[in-house]
Amino acid sequence: MSQKSYDAIVVGSGINALVAGAVLSKSGWKVLLCERNNVAGGAIRTEAATLPGFTHELLSSWHPLFVGGPAYAELAEELTKRGVIYKNTTSPTGVVCSAGTAILSTDPVETAKEMDRLGDGAAWSGMMQEFGGKIDLAFGLLGADFWRTNSLKLASTARKRFGNRGLVATGAELLEPAAPWLDRTFSSEVTKSLLAPWALHNGLGPDDAASAFITKVIGAAVAFGGMPVPVGGGIKLVEALIGIIKDAGGELLTSADVIKVTTSNGKATGVKLADGREFSATRSVLASVTPQALYQGLLSEEKIPTEITKSADSFRYGRAAIQIHLALSEPPQWKADSRLKDVAIVHILDGMNSLSESVNASNRGWLAKRPTIVVGQPTTVDPSRAPAGTSILWIQLQENPRKILGDLAGEINPGDGSWNEERLNKYADRVLAQVAEQIPNLFNAITAKIVLGPEQIEAMNKNLVGGDPYAGDCRVDQYAPWRPLSAATGHRTPIKNLWHIGASTHPGPGLGGGSGFLVAKRLTQKSFLERIRNR
Ligand SMILES: Cc1cc2nc3c(=O)[nH]c(=O)nc-3n(C[C@H](O)[C@H](O)[C@H](O)COP(=O)(O)OP(=O)(O)OC[C@H]3O[C@@H](n4cnc5c(N)ncnc54)[C@H](O)[C@@H]3O)c2cc1C
């Protein structure tokens, strides 16, 4: 029987796979997406998982990276036609810490007032002015396809703007950790605690190199772009992207575990599934997997240069995530500042020191005593997520060891180090007690609860190794030109026509769909030189 053939086959169906599939489909390619789970979407998993009428994003929830990124700019019209409606808020983020509370607004006048109240008005406007003058380069850097000649344009613009000496100084600024930058720039502990936790959302801590840059980028993105979410949940985006692919003649196969990329004469020719089925791709195969899954798994029978396999073998994973989902019989009542009820994401933390302590403890295998808690309130943006008068909370913890070696609070016995049910629930109780200090009606209002630990998160998506939500440590040696590999191959692989995409590759994790977009554009917009070279 002859194999079914497509222009491109994409392994996985996360945001990068879907974006790549949709962009290729719009250029007339017939695309097959193979997803090993029985549902598409990867880290987008929308379910009425607690009670009827309560819609939870079990994993990712917030779409500023997608709405602010190039994939949405290209696909927005199609997506809107297919019913994807984004809602936004003017209060994207806030903080409650030992020193007080603060809210960041998308209205610059409101934020200026808030910063004045904290004594940081001049520092904030100075920061926004200075960073605002570089924001095009900052976003350009994060979205650049490093191993293409057009990325040189970015370097040349930067050199023209800053001069040689300025360019070198900008390099140092890019590498500065957030903690010293925040201490130098702002006087209020509240301002620092408002901004610092945002580095966590790119897998960094406040003492890591480049965390100041990431904090500024996310701070600016949130201050300008808010916290958009699709009405009804990320599933709506997933369905619409699949619709674009199918309408162009493509297909999505679920329960389709790819175990091998097939090749001929050093070129990718298709994929083989665990159930024995094979499909061929006449133009490209895109694999949205981790470096180890690619080189030790899908390509294990191929001859791969040693510097590549060595580089893939040493790819590290970062801290694990825990998600707690609550259905509430009434909206949360915030004790310290009632304005927080309207904020999309509130960070609860003691302050910069507890943040630093918790990140470093978890890097060394220890449970945090006073973790930084990300409290998402999805109904503030999309009220359809819960019946009228009720609410849901999306609670995220990012300072968790993949393997437990100890507990800073001295309460949880690490045992064999695994996140078994007992340890996970005890830790979740610690977290909820800390949340209840700020939301006194919490325990009375909880009608249903789900706790997803590192093991459950990895079971939902095998790219999230050990529960690492970002499919690979994002510290600077594994970022930008060095993601996915220190051998710096970009999205190319040593196998012709095989491309590596997904959160383990540049520009890293998040719902921007950046790697899928970059590769799909590269495949559909070849330069003259490349066309000649690839003949
Ligand atoms: C708990 C959590 C919360 C997050 N919150 C946010 C947020 O609010 N906003 C944000 O911007 N980002 C968030 N992120 C990060 C973001 O969701 C991810 O970085 C992004 O979704 C990853 O997309 P991806 O394209 O790499 O594919 P993934 O979503 O990782 O999907 C990869 C898919 O490939 C499949 N697959 C793997 N191997 C194979 C194989 N061999 N054969 C077939 N299929 C295979 C997997 O089953 C999976 O479905 C969060 C992540 C997590 C885990």
Side-chain angles (χ1 to χ4, degrees), residues 5-184:
S5 176
Y6 298 84
D7 291 308
I9 296 179
V10 188
V11 182
S13 69
I15 189 67
N16 287 290
L18 291 166
V19 161
V23 172
L24 292 173
S25 299
K26 277 192 62 183
S27 290
W29 291 39
K30 199 170 132 195
V31 178
L32 172 69
L33 253 56
C34 294
E35 168 55 56
R36 69 193 296 278
N37 287 341
N38 58 9
V39 286
I44 304 176
R45 188 74 81 89
T46 313
E47 278 179 27
T50 53
L51 299 168
F54 291 79
T55 305
H56 299 271
E57 296 286 26
L58 291 180
L59 300 171
S60 59
S61 174
W62 312 96
H63 290 223
L65 289 179
F66 185 69
V67 171
Y72 185 60
E74 173 134 343
L75 298 168
E77 206 183 312
E78 274 289 325
L79 293 172
T80 310
K81 263 197 252 157
R82 289 164 194 275
V84 178
I85 303 164
Y86 273 100
K87 280 207 161 186
N88 210 337
T89 171
T90 52
S91 302
T93 189
V95 69
V96 48
C97 63
S98 311
T101 64
I103 292 169
L104 187 79
S105 170
T106 52
D107 178 346
V109 178
E110 284 301 313
T111 298
K113 269 196 231 156
E114 187 76 339
M115 290 295 163
D116 280 343
R117 178 179 72 80
L118 298 169
D120 275 325
W124 175 260
S125 70
M127 190 274 277
M128 289 303 270
Q129 227 170 357
E130 201 203 328
F131 191 64
K134 300 176 187 166
I135 208 158
D136 56 329
L137 294 173
F139 284 103
L141 184 68
L142 291 174
D145 201 344
F146 287 107
W147 305 111
R148 299 195 78 191
T149 44
N150 57 9
S151 70
L152 292 175
K153 267 194 219 148
L154 190 70
S156 129
T157 310
R159 190 168 156 266
K160 269 191 208 135
R161 200 174 301 172
F162 306 129
N164 285 344
R165 210 175 276 281
L167 195 60
V168 174
T170 303
E173 191 188 330
L174 278 176
L175 291 174
E176 186 176 16
W181 166 67
L182 288 164
D183 283 337
R184 192 178 69 244

Side-chain angles (χ1 to χ4, degrees), residues 101-289:
T101 64
I103 292 169
L104 187 79
S105 170
T106 52
D107 178 346
V109 178
E110 284 301 313
T111 298
K113 269 196 231 156
E114 187 76 339
M115 290 295 163
D116 280 343
R117 178 179 72 80
L118 298 169
D120 275 325
W124 175 260
S125 70
M127 190 274 277
M128 289 303 270
Q129 227 170 357
E130 201 203 328
F131 191 64
K134 300 176 187 166
I135 208 158
D136 56 329
L137 294 173
F139 284 103
L141 184 68
L142 291 174
D145 201 344
F146 287 107
W147 305 111
R148 299 195 78 191
T149 44
N150 57 9
S151 70
L152 292 175
K153 267 194 219 148
L154 190 70
S156 129
T157 310
R159 190 168 156 266
K160 269 191 208 135
R161 200 174 301 172
F162 306 129
N164 285 344
R165 210 175 276 281
L167 195 60
V168 174
T170 303
E173 191 188 330
L174 278 176
L175 291 174
E176 186 176 16
W181 166 67
L182 288 164
D183 283 337
R184 192 178 69 244
T185 310
F186 299 104
S187 60
S188 163
E189 288 305 314
V190 183
T191 314
K192 296 178 200 174
S193 300
L194 174 69
L195 298 175
W198 279 101
L200 292 176
H201 295 269
N202 206 44
L204 297 179
D207 304 303
D208 285 326
S211 54
F213 171 67
I214 290 296
T215 305
K216 289 177 211 174
V217 168
I218 302 185
V222 167
F224 291 126
M227 198 55 69
V229 300
V231 174
I235 182 77
K236 300 291 177 194
L237 173 62
V238 171
E239 286 169 353
L241 289 166
I242 293 170
I244 296 174
I245 294 164
K246 285 188 172 169
D247 286 355
E251 278 181 81
L252 161 76
L253 286 183
T254 51
S255 305
D257 189 7
V258 175
I259 54 164
K260 182 178 161 73
V261 171
T262 53
T263 64
S264 169
N265 297 324
K267 270 192 193 173
T269 55
V271 298
K272 182 173 181 188
L273 305 189
D275 61 15
R277 282 180 292 170
E278 292 195 33
F279 299 95
S280 58
T282 51
R283 298 167 93 168
S284 298
V285 175
L286 285 69
S288 181
V289 298

Side-chain angles (χ1 to χ4, degrees), residues 365-388:
W366 284 66
L367 297 172
K369 192 172 175 185
R370 298 285 293 174
T372 309
I373 306 171
V374 188
V375 181
Q377 306 188 98
T379 50
T380 60
V381 192
D382 176 12
S384 79
R385 305 287 177 93

